[in-house]
Amino acid sequence: MNLNFDTAHSNPALPPPVSNRLLASLPEEDLAQIEALCETVEADVGEVLYEPGRPIASIYFPIDALVSLLAVAEGRMTLEVGSVGREGMLGASVALGHRQAQVRAVVQRAGTVLRMRAEDFRAEFTRMESLQHLLHRYTDTLLAQAIQIAVCSRFHVLEARLARSLLITRDRLQSEKFHLTHEFLAHALGVRRVGVTKAASALQNQKLITYSRGNIEILDSTGLEAVSCRCYELVKENGAIGMGTVFV
């Protein structure tokens, strides 16, 4: 994705009908104000939207893209602590006074996002009470999920963690079929590629998934949920710390 605001992919004059769930939760007048400050861009797989320690210049509201949030240690070791699709946004910490990114944000699935200048977002957050209430709930939930995933990564076996990750990806994309390479899963789960291969093979041998050259299909959702650790039950849409709690 071209991150310059003069990108040929953008069309600030004609934003699409909003299909970002977070934005759609705003009152109509507030939604219109936010949309007027956004432009539409295409996000490409593998594009890095944020890097830890770098300034946050833009806020992103995914429409059909999926973005992985990776904690980074020593510049190279990573662990996925969350993902953001049409239910959320990237850059909410700007509203809390943070001007630098805390995680690496990498596009996992290509798609459309709405992009907004960080300074415009700060101004709207300051004056817009509906946005304040919504983002307080959203950031609380995102933090709770990140903590739970970190705990999961420390105490649960890789096979269960992989099952949890695949189920969350399915929910975010609303599809039983998606593409995730061994390399990406290794970065997300904080393990070597050989570990991902063994765990994926175990799930495939149980006829829970098929996995070939990064193309994944979930064959048995109920079975995969049984193999997953309890963390999935907590972070799924209607779980105790699921995104469904944001939109009540």
Side-chain angles (χ1 to χ4, degrees):
M1 184 178 71
N2 187 337
L3 296 183
N4 295 319
F5 272 79
D6 61 353
T7 174
H9 294 294
S10 63
N11 188 355
L14 295 172
V18 65
S19 56
N20 176 277
R21 189 177 179 189
L22 196 71
L23 289 182
S25 299
L26 293 171
E28 186 173 340
E29 182 178 344
D30 291 343
L31 169 60
Q33 178 63 26
I34 294 293
E35 281 190 298
L37 296 169
C38 289
E39 61 179 349
T40 306
V41 295
E42 294 299 317
D44 298 324
V45 171
E47 291 290 341
V48 178
L49 303 183
Y50 296 154
E51 192 68 53
R54 300 282 182 84
I56 298 175
S58 302
I59 307 300
Y60 300 92
F61 300 95
I63 303 300
D64 55 3
L66 182 64
V67 181
S68 177
L69 306 179
L70 301 170
V72 182
E74 299 177 6
R76 57 186 181 84
M77 295 182 292
T78 60
L79 177 68
E80 186 176 58
V81 292
S83 60
V84 179
R86 63 180 294 271
E87 81 295 330
M89 65 172 291
L90 296 162
S93 62
V94 164
L96 305 177
H98 297 290
R99 294 182 178 272
Q100 295 182 333
Q102 297 167 306
V103 297
R104 179 178 294 159
V106 182
V107 178
Q108 181 177 336
R109 176 188 176 177
T112 304
V113 299
L114 295 180
R115 182 173 64 183
M116 183 179 184
R117 294 180 186 273
E119 56 266 34
D120 290 338
F121 180 76
R122 291 189 195 98
E124 292 306 312
F125 180 82
T126 299
R127 73 165 194 83
M128 195 177 289
E129 187 174 339
S130 63
L131 185 60
Q132 293 170 13
H133 291 322
L134 184 62
L135 288 198
H136 286 156
R137 294 197 302 272
Y138 178 69
T139 53
D140 281 349
T141 301
L142 202 61
L143 177 59
Q145 290 190 358
I147 292 171
Q148 187 62 43
I149 292 173
V151 170
C152 177
S153 299
R154 173 63 179 84
F155 294 107
H156 297 153
V157 299
L158 181 55
E159 186 178 325
R161 290 165 53 202
L162 176 59
R164 181 259 301 161
S165 182
L166 296 180
L167 289 166
I168 292 174
T169 300
R170 175 204 62 180
D171 294 350
R172 292 282 194 268
L173 296 178
Q174 298 181 334
S175 174
E176 304 286 341
K177 298 180 181 181
F178 42 88
H179 185 85
L180 292 175
T181 65
H182 277 71
E183 182 178 9
F184 178 85
L185 286 170
H187 283 300
L189 296 170
V191 299
R192 297 169 59 193
R193 289 180 61 176
V194 64
V196 172
T197 299
K198 290 180 179 179
S201 295
L203 297 179
Q204 189 160 244
N205 290 339
Q206 297 173 66
K207 301 188 186 308
L208 302 177
I209 67 169
T210 60
Y211 189 95
S212 177
R213 297 184 178 181
N215 296 311
I216 298 174
E217 180 178 1
I218 296 176
L219 303 176
D220 182 355
S221 292
T222 301
L224 194 61
E225 289 183 28
V227 170
S228 174
C229 52
R230 182 172 175 269
C231 297
Y232 174 67
E233 286 295 318
L234 294 173
V235 303
K236 68 181 183 180
E237 172 74 11
N238 59 352
I241 53 174
M243 281 298 164
T245 62
V246 175
F247 306 106
V248 294

